[in-house]
Amino acid sequence: MASLKPQNKIELYSGNYFAACTLGGIIACGPTHTMVTPLDLVKCRRQVDSSLYKSNTSAWKSIYAKEGIRGVFFGWSPTFVGYSLQGAGKYGFYEIFKYWYGEQLAPGAPKQIVYLAASASAEFLADLALCPLEAIKVRMQTSVPPFAQTLREGWGKVVAQEGVGGLYKGLYPLWARQIPYTMVKFATFEETVNQIYKFIGKPKDQLNGLQQTGVSFLGGYIAGIGCAVVSHPADVMVSKLNSDRKAGEGAGQALTRIYGKIGFAGLWNGLPTRIFMIGTLTAFQWLIYDSFKVSLGLPTSGGH
């Protein structure tokens, strides 16, 4: 009887392998970020104005009563496009840089150093694609009345008012948020998965695909909690910069002015919501990403 186990037809570290990882990143990130748009919407609004809603539940009730389900998912289109592009770069470039740094450039380097360097390099590039969409998303979600109703309208208004540079005015804070986030996400995931396999007492190749992806889900959730905490202050500043930056004001001036208004405590507005959102998001991203790899006959991530 023929084996039902998928055969590995893609050579590891080949062009097709990296292309598959890139596609896996799109599938893992775009839909998952879009699904949590209601959480992200409320988080961004409470970061900008902590007195706007008493709780997440009251926020959703208020938004739904006024705008229906469309209002609860407001900003989904720039979210879907932006994080699909970011996922492609984040996962695709991570696999490329991990192989290049760890196998070609510095084969004797500690694995954690390789994970950190590869993830930082990947996110640096991925954010160039994400930044314009993130800028439009935040403006749409935090302005009343909304800055724009659609991605297309928002893109046109930003370019018309501020030029293409307006789409990238939040790039430095985005890097400050996303690069540490991704470094923690990937390095913690890799190390957590290794520890889980040690605890189980079996090498990865002795477990079936379902068991391996279960390990990926658990490792992803643990990594996501760390991501949320490390990157939250920068996440608050990205929301503030995109919603409250004055015309002609430099990034440094804007950051100083905004911090003067909100203080250190203000940098942590919305953290519990973000821990829940990012933990769940990260867990499902690794689950989807590794399930996609398994469907192609490729090994899951980590545990090497």
Side-chain angles (χ1 to χ4, degrees):
M1 182 175 178
S3 173
L4 296 178
K5 184 178 179 180
Q7 298 301 307
N8 186 358
K9 298 179 181 179
I10 298 176
E11 182 183 352
L12 289 178
Y13 314 122
S14 64
N16 286 339
Y17 171 77
F18 294 127
C21 293
T22 300
L23 179 57
I26 294 173
I27 296 170
C29 293
T32 51
H33 274 278
T34 304
M35 285 170 57
V36 297
T37 297
L39 271 171
D40 192 34
L41 172 67
V42 173
K43 172 189 70 69
C44 287
R45 289 182 177 176
R46 296 185 77 183
Q47 285 174 342
V48 171
D49 184 358
S50 59
S51 64
L52 187 60
Y53 304 114
K54 292 181 179 180
S55 67
N56 293 341
T57 303
S58 68
W60 291 319
K61 287 181 178 178
S62 175
I63 295 168
Y64 182 77
K66 294 177 182 177
E67 307 169 53
I69 194 67
R70 182 179 184 276
V72 175
F73 277 87
F74 190 63
W76 74 268
S77 53
T79 298
F80 178 74
V81 176
Y83 284 93
S84 292
L85 293 173
Q86 188 227 25
K90 178 187 301 225
Y91 282 89
F93 282 124
Y94 175 71
E95 298 285 0
I96 291 171
F97 283 123
K98 184 170 72 168
Y99 173 71
W100 187 45
Y101 293 159
E103 302 295 332
Q104 303 295 316
L105 192 63
K111 287 186 176 180
Q112 282 292 347
I113 299 298
V114 173
Y115 301 150
L116 291 169
S119 56
S121 301
E123 190 61 43
F124 178 88
L125 296 175
D127 287 346
L128 296 175
L130 171 64
C131 188
L133 286 307
E134 180 77 357
I136 294 168
K137 176 190 77 73
V138 171
R139 291 191 194 197
M140 287 173 62
Q141 291 180 332
T142 58
S143 56
V144 179
F147 173 77
Q149 292 292 337
T150 65
L151 167 58
R152 183 176 180 179
E153 181 189 357
W155 188 287
K157 288 182 73 171
V158 172
V159 173
Q161 294 173 10
E162 305 174 44
V164 176
L167 296 169
Y168 283 93
K169 73 179 187 180
L171 181 59
Y172 294 151
L174 186 64
W175 274 334
R177 180 189 82 184
Q178 288 297 134
I179 291 177
Y181 167 97
T182 300
M183 292 171 73
V184 171
K185 174 178 180 173
F186 282 87
T188 304
F189 172 82
E190 297 266 12
E191 185 59 34
T192 301
V193 166
N194 287 338
Q195 293 302 317
I196 292 172
Y197 282 120
K198 286 182 181 179
F199 177 79
I200 292 173
K202 291 183 178 181
K204 183 169 72 172
D205 57 11
Q206 290 186 16
L207 302 179
N208 61 38
L210 182 61
Q211 291 170 324
Q212 290 183 35
T213 53
V215 171
S216 295
F217 182 85
L218 178 58
Y221 208 102
I222 293 170
I225 294 171
C227 293
V229 175
V230 166
S231 63
H232 193 72
D235 184 59
V236 172
M237 294 307 288
V238 167
S239 296
K240 288 285 191 180
L241 270 178
N242 280 304
S243 65
D244 186 29
R245 185 168 173 181
K246 301 182 184 302
E249 188 177 40
Q253 291 176 306
L255 288 169
T256 301
R257 177 179 59 80
I258 291 169
Y259 183 78
K261 288 171 62 178
I262 66 173
F264 181 76
L267 293 175
W268 303 97
N269 285 338
L271 179 60
T273 301
R274 192 156 190 267
I275 287 176
F276 176 73
M277 183 181 84
I278 297 300
T280 304
L281 198 67
T282 304
F284 275 102
Q285 284 177 356
W286 281 112
L287 176 64
I288 293 167
Y289 179 69
D290 275 346
S291 295
F292 177 73
K293 290 173 73 175
V294 167
S295 73
L296 298 177
L298 295 168
T300 56
S301 306
H304 302 302

